[in-house]
Amino acid sequence: MIVWTRFGFLAVITGVGGLTLTQSLINTFMNDAMYYSVNAWPKLLGAIVAALLTYLLQFFLKDDVRSMIDKETGMEVEIRSSHTLFWIPIRFWPYLMLAFGVIIFLSEVLASPENSYADELTERLKNATKQEQMEIISKELDKIRREELKNQLPLEEVTARAENGDIAAQVELGERYLNAKGVKKNNQKAYEWYREAADAGNPEAQYWVGYIFEWLVIDMDEDERLRWAMEWYRESAEAGYSHAQFTLGYCYQTGKGVKKDLKAAAFWYEKASLNQHHGAMACLGLLFAEGKGGVKKDAVLGMAWELASQKILGEPGSAYEEQFNSIWKNLNEQQRVSAKQISIEIVKRMMSHQ
């Protein structure tokens, strides 16, 4: 319930009007209907405009001051009738609006994950060549399109985009048909859409084509299936897709589809680890800790990879927590300090690798 006296309600009109006017002008100027909503500074500007308009009301709305004589004392008494909103005189509302605008601005700037994301993206672009910048921007735009497709667009529109060559839409359709998201599960259609995107060079689609060959193709003998799967996994891994890099590492570690080679496994696990694949970090750490198959045994380095995984993941432990607890117990104090120091350097490598 809004409570006011005299023309105090005008503060609501000037406040809402200032915000609305600012929103309209900002969105029009930026040619983006959502710009005001998703950025912090326009809201602060809106509060300033609202406060200024409310401040100007003071020059038009004067307090009603009446003089009366107190019968008992015979003294003259002034009775002032102010314009108030929620019992607060209108002259104080501009300052309240400014304070509110500052609070909203600071809360969005300090709490927004997008702000740290923007800083990180800026840093990555700053340290990249022009070719690398184009690749980074292309990948980020692809992520944005994927989120849009997942959260907003119906199947018919996604299909139309995919048929017109939109790679993000093709990947999205592959995922929907593979995982029965809003459609009946259809592995053949999933393969066809993933293959379209894979042939266009999309690393994520290349990985899923490999996955389908490995696990879902039924009219092909196992050796042939795995041969095709490894080809697609390798193409995706060489393009930098962490899941494919991890899968290749696992295949080399177990000898599935390729000749067992723990050095090659460590190579691909490290590639995936630098892309912050937590499973790969744990597997790489165990390879170093065990030191088998030509991989030099180094328990300190192995533990460092597990510690780095914990730092990135933000929580302790991995699927191999029991093994790493045993490794940690067998390290002396100096080795533990070294493992922590090395883990910090590993995290720095990961950050610079993005």
Side-chain angles (χ1 to χ4, degrees), residues 219-237:
D219 57 350
M220 190 180 291
D221 65 68
E222 184 178 15
D223 289 342
E224 186 72 4
R225 284 192 298 102
L226 290 178
R227 184 180 70 81
W228 280 106
M230 292 306 112
E231 284 191 19
W232 283 107
Y233 284 151
R234 187 177 301 279
E235 192 163 348
S236 175

Side-chain angles (χ1 to χ4, degrees), residues 107-246:
S107 65
E108 290 196 12
V109 168
L110 297 178
S112 173
E114 289 81 6
N115 188 58
S116 59
Y117 165 78
D119 290 342
E120 179 188 341
L121 182 59
T122 301
E123 191 65 27
R124 287 166 60 193
L125 291 172
K126 186 190 301 180
N127 297 324
T129 64
K130 287 188 176 181
Q131 180 63 32
E132 290 171 338
Q133 288 175 348
M134 293 300 294
E135 292 176 358
I136 291 171
I137 293 171
S138 177
K139 287 181 180 179
E140 295 305 315
L141 289 175
D142 186 63
K143 288 180 184 177
I144 293 170
R145 288 196 296 268
R146 286 295 306 281
E147 287 303 313
E148 177 190 52
L149 293 167
K150 285 181 180 179
N151 298 329
Q152 299 180 15
L153 299 183
L155 178 65
E156 295 77 12
E157 188 167 346
V158 180
T159 303
R161 289 191 179 192
E163 290 173 345
N164 286 326
D166 188 320
I167 295 175
Q170 293 168 352
V171 175
E172 174 64 20
L173 276 183
E175 181 180 346
R176 290 192 186 189
Y177 281 113
L178 185 64
N179 298 306
K181 291 185 176 180
V183 294
K184 185 177 179 181
K185 184 176 176 64
N186 189 320
N187 291 338
Q188 180 60 36
K189 284 190 174 181
Y191 170 78
E192 290 172 357
W193 285 116
Y194 275 136
R195 185 59 187 268
E196 285 272 350
D199 287 339
N202 182 273
E204 181 181 355
Q206 291 166 347
Y207 167 78
W208 285 109
V209 170
Y211 175 91
I212 291 171
F213 270 112
E214 181 181 2
W215 298 105
L216 302 178
V217 172
I218 58 176
D219 57 350
M220 190 180 291
D221 65 68
E222 184 178 15
D223 289 342
E224 186 72 4
R225 284 192 298 102
L226 290 178
R227 184 180 70 81
W228 280 106
M230 292 306 112
E231 284 191 19
W232 283 107
Y233 284 151
R234 187 177 301 279
E235 192 163 348
S236 175
E238 289 175 349
Y241 192 62
S242 64
H243 293 297
Q245 292 168 337
F246 170 74

Side-chain angles (χ1 to χ4, degrees), residues 218-290:
I218 58 176
D219 57 350
M220 190 180 291
D221 65 68
E222 184 178 15
D223 289 342
E224 186 72 4
R225 284 192 298 102
L226 290 178
R227 184 180 70 81
W228 280 106
M230 292 306 112
E231 284 191 19
W232 283 107
Y233 284 151
R234 187 177 301 279
E235 192 163 348
S236 175
E238 289 175 349
Y241 192 62
S242 64
H243 293 297
Q245 292 168 337
F246 170 74
T247 302
L248 262 189
Y250 179 79
C251 289
Y252 275 113
Q253 184 178 9
T254 59
K256 184 175 184 179
V258 292
K259 184 179 179 180
K260 187 173 181 178
D261 184 341
L262 295 187
K263 282 188 175 181
F267 173 82
W268 285 111
Y269 279 149
E270 183 169 359
K271 290 280 190 183
S273 296
L274 291 175
N275 284 319
Q276 301 186 21
H277 192 290
H278 303 295
M281 294 182 212
C283 290
L284 180 62
L286 287 179
L287 279 181
F288 282 125
E290 294 171 356

Side-chain angles (χ1 to χ4, degrees), residues 25-46:
L25 291 175
I26 289 291
N27 288 345
T28 300
F29 182 78
M30 302 303 296
N31 196 29
D32 182 352
M34 295 298 293
Y35 191 89
Y36 182 93
S37 300
V38 300
N39 289 279
W41 71 265
K43 299 182 182 67
L44 177 59
L45 179 60

